[in-house]
Amino acid sequence: MTAVAGTGTLLRLALRRDRLMLPLWVYVVGLTVISMPRTLNGLYGTADERAGVLTTMRANGSLRALYGPALDDSLGGLTVWRVGAYAGLFAAAMSLLIVVRHTRDEEESGRQEMVSAAAVGRRAPLTSALLAALVANAAVAALITIGMALTAGPGFAGALALGLATGGAGMVFATLAAIVAQFTESARLARGLSAGLLGAAFVLRAAGDAGRADGSSVLTWLSPIGWLENTRAYAGERWWVLLLFATAVVAQGAVAYVLAGRRDIGMSFWPSRPGPARGRLGSAGALARRLHRGSLLGWSLSFLAAGAVLGGVTTGATDLVGDNAHTREIIERMGGRSGLTDAFLAGMTGLLGMVAALYVVQAVLRMHAEETSQRAEPVLSGAVARLRWAAGHLTVAFAGAVLVMLCGGLGLAAGYGHDLGPVLGACLVQLPAIWTLGAVAVLLYGLAPRAAVGGGWGVAGAALLLGWLGPALDLPRTVLDLSPFGHLPKLPGGEMAWPPVLVLTVLAAALVAAGLAGLRRRDLAG
């Protein structure tokens, strides 16, 4: 039996298990890119307007840090500037989630041990995981190439370069996640470390682009996201940069294979340390706080940093909009009516709120992970009631959302340098919508636990997509209102409206109550 025996079967199994998640990821990454030429054509319809964008970007380091350098004023070139780095970021996130799910997740759950008892080679699971990531990134590359060729006008070479670079960035982080998965015993830690490396790559890219207008900074070249920019799609393509992606994928993949062959299934090179002989946690709530504290700390610090970056570009963003009526209209649809700066701040607080919804869903679904991994069973077999156990997790999840948004608001106000009170108020007014999406996850967990993960993430992802792409695509108001964020008052700048805030808060409380009632009555996974 060879080391990769059974790879085909495992690959088909992985693609079947991800038959919903993979197409959704591919569609989101691809749509983010191929929807942009039409939007930019509406915003900057003339050559003079597009040339003005280039002039503004070259003079504004903070905007380059946020979006990347603008190298060409064609629709394709402006699309690469506006969403190229983010497409690479999304493709990388997709890839690391796929690889960790089909490697460390399988080992942690014990399924890998059962699979390996059959005629499956030692390196077949890792190979099938990387092949699944390759299939997803190839689909992303094909969708972007075909879509940009059809929507961005002349320049098939630029469309092909952008598609290949986006898929290449995804594969670099797929193989990087494969290495990280060899060092940790926990899938959650593997995802966290991989995501941290992805964040560091984005920060390196941003720091480099802030200093140089053409992407030539050393810091930019240290980041795979910076390689995507330096492929220079639609701006005199540099095909040789694609060799950097290929070299990194081959080298990192080889390291992962070597490491995978030197450890036993379920083990890692950084084993978990045993806890103290006598525990110090005296309640279910204390245990929940201990379990969530690392994730909450990471989200809070990330929001503080992201808020500071967004606040720092507020003045520059309003300069970029200038007198462009179409851009002003889109920003106002995102969240503001009085004053362009207020409209921009309102849009950014709305964006922070939509991302924070992912935190609360993740925190709620921690109960599902504790149950399916059978770690909840020893706790609930004692004197701890189900509702008390759940209350510990939900208190951290919903109160943690408040902390995360406060950190985002503090960072936003600090970066902007003004309006601490109004900005914090605008951030806190997002909470009813965030809680509503978290409450949907509670409802699904309590009544239909098998659909909790897919349904919870699906609802939160749909709200994020409506907020991210809906205004740019000029979707009807009735469609945008499907998201709870569409009903919130647009602050700062707008008028406070208490009825939707109160209705969403009551709705969230009702959904949580229904979910807890379902949890109390159903059988736990065992």
Side-chain angles (χ1 to χ4, degrees):
M1 184 174 68
T2 65
V4 294
T7 297
T9 302
L10 292 180
L11 175 60
R12 289 194 295 275
L13 176 62
L15 295 178
R16 176 175 173 74
R17 290 180 60 198
D18 292 345
R19 60 187 181 280
L20 295 178
M21 186 183 75
L22 282 188
L24 182 62
W25 266 108
V26 170
Y27 184 69
V28 168
V29 178
L31 185 62
T32 300
V33 177
I34 63 180
S35 66
M36 197 51 59
R38 174 178 174 270
T39 302
L40 291 172
N41 191 43
L43 298 176
Y44 311 108
T46 67
D48 289 341
E49 288 176 336
R50 292 194 292 271
V53 172
L54 254 66
T55 302
T56 302
M57 289 301 300
R58 285 169 178 163
N60 194 315
S62 59
L63 284 178
R64 291 199 305 272
L66 184 61
Y67 296 120
L71 302 173
D72 189 84
D73 63 2
S74 65
L75 285 179
L78 291 180
T79 297
V80 175
W81 155 68
R82 184 63 182 82
V83 295
Y86 290 96
L89 188 73
F90 293 156
M94 171 190 72
S95 302
L96 69 88
L97 290 176
I98 291 173
V99 171
V100 174
R101 171 177 164 83
H102 294 295
T103 54
R104 181 50 67 181
D105 240 347
E106 292 296 284
E107 294 187 39
E108 188 178 6
S109 66
R111 286 190 292 266
Q112 187 57 56
E113 187 174 0
M114 290 190 293
V115 170
S116 297
V120 173
R122 187 177 186 84
R123 293 181 171 84
L126 177 59
T127 307
S128 64
L130 291 176
L131 287 176
L134 180 62
V135 169
N137 282 291
V140 166
L143 181 59
I144 290 177
T145 301
I146 297 172
M148 288 296 291
L150 295 175
T151 60
F156 179 77
L160 181 61
L162 179 59
L164 292 177
T166 304
M171 283 308 299
V172 168
F173 282 92
T175 51
L176 185 61
I179 294 175
V180 173
Q182 312 306 317
F183 283 90
T184 66
E185 289 185 5
S186 161
R188 186 166 53 89
L189 182 57
R191 290 191 191 92
L193 290 176
S194 301
L197 292 172
L198 175 58
F202 194 82
V203 169
L204 280 175
R205 194 282 310 164
D209 287 341
R212 297 286 185 86
D214 58 355
S216 62
S217 167
V218 173
L219 295 178
T220 303
W221 281 104
L222 290 176
S223 166
I225 305 298
W227 300 349
L228 187 154
E229 294 175 353
N230 275 300
T231 306
R232 297 204 168 183
Y234 291 98
E237 290 76 18
R238 291 171 169 172
W239 298 105
W240 60 269
V241 177
L242 296 176
L243 292 176
L244 295 177
F245 292 112
T247 303
V249 169
V250 172
Q252 293 180 163
V255 171
Y257 272 91
V258 170
L259 294 175
R262 293 176 179 272
R263 65 175 180 85
D264 293 330
I265 293 176
M267 297 294 105
S268 69
F269 291 98
W270 291 342
S272 300
R273 293 180 301 173
R278 297 182 63 86
R280 291 173 294 179
L281 302 178
S283 66
L287 176 61
R289 289 192 292 274
R290 175 66 179 82
L291 293 173
H292 287 269
R293 71 178 183 183
S295 172
L296 180 57
L297 178 63
W299 276 91
S300 300
L301 293 177
S302 299
F303 263 59
L304 187 65
V309 172
L310 293 173
V313 304
T314 299
T315 303
T318 54
D319 291 343
L320 176 64
V321 172
D323 296 327
N324 191 306
H326 294 289
T327 307
R328 183 188 298 272
E329 182 183 348
I330 282 184
I331 289 182
E332 289 180 352
R333 281 204 301 269
M334 289 177 68
R337 294 188 178 88
S338 62
L340 203 52
T341 298
D342 284 344
F344 182 82
L345 288 173
M348 294 305 102
T349 54
L351 180 62
L352 289 174
M354 287 182 279
V355 177
L358 302 180
Y359 160 74
V360 75
V361 169
Q362 178 201 51
V364 168
L365 293 179
R366 182 62 190 264
M367 291 191 296
H368 183 272
E370 291 294 302
E371 180 184 340
T372 54
S373 65
Q374 300 183 358
R375 288 191 292 265
E377 188 174 355
V379 178
L380 295 173
S381 62
V384 178
R386 289 188 189 185
L387 295 187
R388 186 179 166 196
W389 170 76
H393 286 277
L394 295 183
T395 300
V396 178
F398 286 79
V402 180
L403 177 62
V404 167
M405 288 305 296
L406 282 175
C407 288
L410 286 172
L412 193 58
Y416 179 46
H418 309 283
D419 297 342
L420 174 61
V423 169
L424 285 180
C427 287
L428 293 179
V429 87
Q430 307 296 320
L431 288 171
I434 297 171
W435 287 338
T436 300
L437 294 177
V440 171
V442 177
L443 179 70
L444 290 171
Y445 172 65
L447 299 180
R450 297 185 63 180
V453 175
W457 285 117
V459 172
L464 182 60
L465 279 180
L466 284 175
W468 178 260
L469 296 176
L473 296 175
D474 199 15
L475 294 179
R477 188 72 246 175
T478 52
V479 176
L480 296 177
D481 284 345
L482 293 176
S483 167
F485 291 96
H487 303 277
L488 296 174
K490 312 306 180 187
L491 300 176
E495 295 182 1
M496 181 62 193
W498 287 105
V501 172
L502 296 175
V503 168
L504 286 173
T505 302
V506 172
L507 176 62
L511 292 174
V512 169
L516 291 178
L519 174 64
R520 189 178 181 184
R521 293 173 180 274
R522 71 171 174 82
D523 293 333
L524 295 180

